[in-house]
Amino acid sequence: MSDQPTQVSNGTQPSTSTVSIDQTRVAKRTLGTWQIIVLIIGAMTPLAVIVGTAPLGFAFGGPSTVLAFLIAGIVIGIFCIGYVQMVRRIDRPGAFYNYIARGLGRPAGVGGAMVGTIGYLFGFLGAAAIQGFTLQESIIALTGVEVPWVLLHVIPLLLVGFLIYRRIDISAMLISIIVAFEVVLLLALSFAIIARDGIANALPLEVISPDVFSIGSWTVAFIFAFLCFQGYEAGALYAPEAKNPGKTVPRALYGALAIIVVVLVLTTWTLTSVSGIETQMDVVLEQGLSGFIFATVGEYLGTFGLVLFSIGSLLAQLAVMITIGNFMSRYLNGLARDSILPSYLGRLNKHGAPYAAQFTLIGIGIFVPLLVWAFGGDPYTQVSTIAFGVGAIAATLLQALASISVVGYFLKQPAAQRSLWKQIIIPSIASVLLIAALAIELAGFSWITGVEAGWTVLLPILVFAMLVFGIGFGYWLRKNRPEVYQDLAAGDSAEEAAAIRTDRLMTQAAAREQKKQ
């Protein structure tokens, strides 16, 4: 049985009298380049990285953190060259799942879908577990009043749910404001350091010298830097809602990468100059991870700047939740509409938003941290770190599989119709680099989670077990539900995919009617 995508058999429109409108509805194309840029950046906003992730790199990796961000950005940039080649050809719901299915076969595509499901679900759970804690800390910083964490946990999640339920461009507008605010704050901090200390002292060349790798642990620095580029599937996930996906999504991918790399490299560079290259690890550990950041902000931007950073940190976490919630719900929705996940997750509301998947996510995000808290656990230190660790492994594995699938897809095309460099050689290089990044993450998994317990080593195995399970499920579909199997990742656009799905559902409905007669 061929693994080539099923083509649209005719131009018929969905018949709501035969099949449910939820199964045939196509999301509106409302997103432009800038909106997709901020939705990509929002998965791990610059301020969230500087306050939450970069200090971990400073404390346990050392001053090579600056170069680690640059190297991680280069790896993702190389990956994007092949990535955009697929985006220009396929913009149906499902993103990486589609590319893996087209390049490596439908069973592998289902395996990738399962990896994404478990990884993004853990990522959303990790972000949800932080919300109440972040809100609590911000209220204390601004007012000195301590409100119990558990009372604040549900509020931001309900706000996130409301925003996801509405049109996607409303979320994009809000995240645009937050991201712009964050970038201004971080640039203000960097330029304040440069203005006071002088450019030579604020941007010491020793920080970008290979010698810096001898201080601390560069692998740990790389792990935390690479964690900050895990939202890149979001670009393709929003392609079905982009106005001109062949142009807007590639521009957004490169635009988001440029903003992230420039802001993070500049900020970590100037922060390294403040702590001192040789003494950075000791200084950050002595002052506390986020304490070092806020102490530097207070020193160079004053009390008012410190207040703005506190507000910005809260908004950054909100943006992360909105973004992850948006693309995770769309991910689940796309897989449900291809009959890989339960069909109820495939429902869309009048705004074109995947409300059923969204409600499921919000429910999990509220329930699990509260359950951990009820049994005496700490949702922030015990749930978020482990969840982000699993999410990071899953995301990097997905990127590696997607990069390999680019090569597989274009090798199937006539030689005269493919670019040897962009579609074969560079994606092959990206695949090797991403596999190497995955190996580094696996070796340093305890650094990601911050948990040394022996059972945590089983968590990465869970990700690979989901891959194997998904591949097996794909073969089961081929044998037992061939009509579903043939439609997996079929159609190059959301509209084509909906037409193919409608044809299948109408055929199945007609067959049921004949049996009744």
Side-chain angles (χ1 to χ4, degrees), residues 18 101 127 145 328 408 412 468 507:
T18 307
V145 178
M328 180 61 193
K412 298 176 184 178
V468 173
T507 300

Side-chain angles (χ1 to χ4, degrees), residues 275-480:
S275 64
I277 298 173
E278 297 285 347
T279 59
Q280 183 180 63
M281 299 173 71
D282 293 334
V283 168
V284 174
L285 286 172
E286 182 181 342
Q287 295 187 15
L289 298 177
S290 59
F292 163 70
I293 303 297
F294 284 102
T296 304
V297 171
E299 180 182 351
Y300 285 89
L301 293 180
T303 303
F304 182 65
L306 192 58
V307 171
L308 291 180
F309 257 75
S310 298
I311 296 172
S313 297
L314 178 60
L315 293 176
Q317 291 297 333
L318 180 63
V320 169
M321 278 298 300
I322 295 171
T323 305
I324 295 178
N326 267 305
F327 84 68
M328 180 61 193
S329 58
R330 280 158 176 76
Y331 192 85
L332 296 176
N333 179 267
L335 298 181
R337 288 158 76 85
D338 275 3
S339 300
I340 295 176
L341 294 179
S343 60
Y344 84 94
L345 294 172
R347 297 171 183 170
L348 300 176
N349 63 17
K350 63 182 180 180
H351 305 293
Y355 73 96
Q358 166 219 324
F359 288 154
T360 301
L361 283 175
I362 296 298
I364 293 172
I366 291 174
F367 176 73
V368 174
L370 288 180
L371 182 65
V372 172
W373 170 80
F375 282 93
D378 186 333
Y380 177 62
T381 61
Q382 295 177 326
V383 176
S384 63
T385 55
I386 291 174
F388 280 134
V390 174
I393 297 295
T396 305
L397 175 59
L398 264 184
Q399 289 174 339
L401 289 172
S403 190
I404 295 170
S405 72
V406 174
V407 179
Y409 176 83
F410 286 105
L411 282 176
K412 298 176 184 178
Q413 312 306 314
Q417 298 179 17
R418 64 177 181 240
S419 167
L420 180 62
W421 276 100
K422 292 181 179 180
Q423 297 167 351
I424 305 297
I425 294 177
I426 294 179
S428 297
I429 294 172
S431 301
V432 173
L433 293 174
L434 287 165
I435 291 171
L438 179 61
I440 293 173
E441 288 180 357
L442 289 170
F445 188 71
S446 62
W447 287 106
I448 302 176
T449 63
V451 179
E452 296 287 350
W455 62 268
T456 60
V457 301
L458 299 176
L459 293 174
I461 296 176
L462 173 64
V463 175
F464 288 92
M466 289 299 293
L467 174 63
V468 173
F469 167 76
I471 293 173
F473 182 51
Y475 281 110
W476 183 89
L477 287 173
R478 186 172 74 172
K479 180 179 179 180
N480 296 280

Side-chain angles (χ1 to χ4, degrees), residues 101-177:
R102 293 293 189 90
L104 303 178
R106 291 187 178 92
V110 178
M114 293 302 174
V115 170
T117 299
I118 191 72
Y120 292 142
L121 183 58
F122 268 86
F124 182 83
L125 184 57
I130 292 177
Q131 288 298 288
F133 175 82
T134 303
L135 185 55
Q136 180 191 52
E137 291 296 306
S138 297
I139 291 175
I140 292 173
L142 295 174
T143 67
V145 178
E146 182 172 352
V147 181
W149 174 92
V150 69
L151 297 180
L152 301 172
H153 173 63
V154 177
I155 297 173
L157 286 170
L158 292 179
L159 176 59
V160 167
F162 171 76
L163 290 170
I164 297 174
Y165 187 85
R166 307 293 296 178
R167 285 172 47 186
I168 182 65
D169 50 342
I170 296 177
S171 292
M173 180 179 65
L174 177 60
I175 297 171
S176 295
I177 297 171

